[in-house]
Amino acid sequence: DTRSFACMKRSRGADTSMSDDSLVLVTADNKSGFKNVTYDLQSRRYELRVQVGGKRKHLGAFKTAREAAVVYARTAEGKADAAAQQRPTGADAAAIAVRAAEREGLLLIPADRKDSTTGYKNVTHNVEQSGVRKYKLQMQKKGKRLSCGLFGTAEEAALAYARTPEGRADAERLRRPAPVPRTAAAIEAVQQAEREGLTLVLSANATGYKNVTVDQRKSKCQLQVRAAGRQQTIGLFDSPEEAALAYARTPQGRADAEQQQRRSAATSQPSSRPPSLPASLPA
């Protein structure tokens, strides 16, 4: 509110005592120690300037940096900054997000891309982003990639996604039991994975297995793996299980299987063990 800023500006430190116990001063890594507070050599006072509606507003000159910080702390911007300053960060914030997901019965959706640097779907880490919020949540809607916010940790961004309809749908698919093989070749693929000590990597896609899709034109299951920045087709198979076995034998598949097993141990996500086999083939 411009009028409230004008009122504060006229006061010039007349009422800057910390009488309000809930008032939090917003600190900063600058010479004054407080956000938006700078020292003016000519006036020998501390200037308070705030960005409002795209314009830089001068709110007053004060004898001490603390007086200027008190005035800023009473503005809407100052209160918002103070709230952000008091939020948990780092490992504490991540742990709080994980516990919140558990309380709400949500699932933090694991990344379905091998090149993910965060381990969570739709969450990326931008090291060049200024400030403490370096984790971006992006979602695909109506053919467009939309930014849904910046967060301090990957877990906070993953929690935000888990709360969306898309995140809940992904969780429902992940909580489904592993696909039950329906053919002799599919059953043999699952048994062969067990014999080789391999894990079929699950996914929230239509086939139930990572990197495995259905080629409707050829009525086959296709295995595609991203390598050297390109999507490469490894082969066509009669069942998702056979394609999943082929992927499980690759270095990428082994790495994904290890990650899947760690997630299963750390959370309540679906078991990474192979699906139970039917006693006999369906007619």
Side-chain angles (χ1 to χ4, degrees):
D1 190 319
T2 305
R3 287 174 296 178
S4 64
F5 283 141
C7 181
M8 289 179 184
K9 184 175 177 179
R10 286 195 300 270
S11 70
R12 291 191 178 273
D15 182 20
T16 56
S17 62
M18 290 282 288
S19 57
D20 188 349
D21 292 338
S22 64
L23 205 60
V24 176
L25 302 187
V26 183
T27 57
D29 186 17
N30 58 22
K31 290 183 179 180
S32 74
F34 298 104
K35 184 172 181 179
N36 293 327
V37 178
T38 57
Y39 184 70
D40 184 74
L41 291 173
Q42 285 188 323
S43 65
R44 294 186 180 180
R45 284 179 171 262
Y46 287 89
E47 306 279 343
L48 175 60
R49 290 182 172 83
V50 180
Q51 194 83 11
V52 181
K55 294 182 178 181
R56 196 75 169 161
K57 298 283 186 180
H58 182 257
L59 301 190
F62 306 84
K63 289 182 179 179
T64 67
R66 186 180 182 82
E67 287 178 317
V70 169
V71 171
Y72 179 61
R74 287 174 176 154
T75 67
E77 288 75 9
K79 290 176 181 178
D81 282 342
Q85 179 176 275
Q86 291 180 300
R87 290 191 195 109
T89 59
D92 289 339
I96 289 172
V98 171
R99 289 197 295 270
E102 292 173 350
R103 285 195 305 271
E104 296 174 35
L106 300 173
L107 194 64
L108 302 186
I109 308 301
D112 49 11
R113 293 172 58 99
K114 178 159 181 67
D115 58 357
S116 170
T117 57
T118 67
Y120 296 105
K121 184 174 181 178
N122 291 332
V123 179
T124 56
H125 183 210
N126 185 359
V127 294
E128 297 179 356
Q129 175 70 37
S130 61
V132 296
R133 297 188 175 191
K134 297 181 181 291
Y135 292 89
K136 179 184 287 188
L137 172 61
Q138 291 180 302
M139 293 172 56
Q140 195 81 14
K141 289 191 175 183
K142 296 181 179 179
K144 293 183 178 180
R145 192 75 170 163
L146 302 178
S147 178
C148 301
L150 293 171
F151 302 84
T153 66
E155 287 75 12
E156 289 173 290
L159 175 60
Y161 178 64
R163 287 169 170 161
T164 66
E166 292 84 353
R168 293 176 187 273
D170 280 344
E172 185 179 343
R173 284 192 291 269
L174 279 172
R175 284 181 171 130
R176 290 175 191 157
V180 177
R182 297 297 180 186
T183 65
I187 292 174
E188 173 58 27
V190 172
Q191 292 175 336
Q192 185 60 34
E194 288 182 311
R195 287 193 290 269
E196 296 180 29
L198 298 174
T199 298
L200 304 185
V201 183
L202 304 180
S203 174
N205 63 25
T207 67
Y209 295 103
K210 184 170 183 180
N211 292 331
V212 179
T213 58
V214 177
D215 188 328
Q216 301 289 354
R217 294 174 301 174
K218 300 180 181 179
S219 299
K220 295 277 187 177
C221 290
Q222 182 174 252
L223 173 61
Q224 289 185 310
V225 177
R226 193 166 188 82
R230 299 178 63 184
Q231 198 77 359
Q232 299 180 3
T233 299
I234 305 301
L236 294 172
F237 302 85
D238 291 328
S239 69
E241 289 76 12
E242 291 171 276
L245 174 60
Y247 181 62
R249 287 168 171 160
T250 67
Q252 298 98 316
R254 292 176 188 273
D256 282 343
E258 289 179 7
Q259 187 180 42
Q260 176 176 287
Q261 289 169 327
R262 285 195 297 270
R263 286 198 305 264
S264 296
T267 69
S268 58
Q269 290 190 12
S271 171
S272 59
R273 297 176 61 185
S276 56
L277 302 177
S280 59
L281 289 176

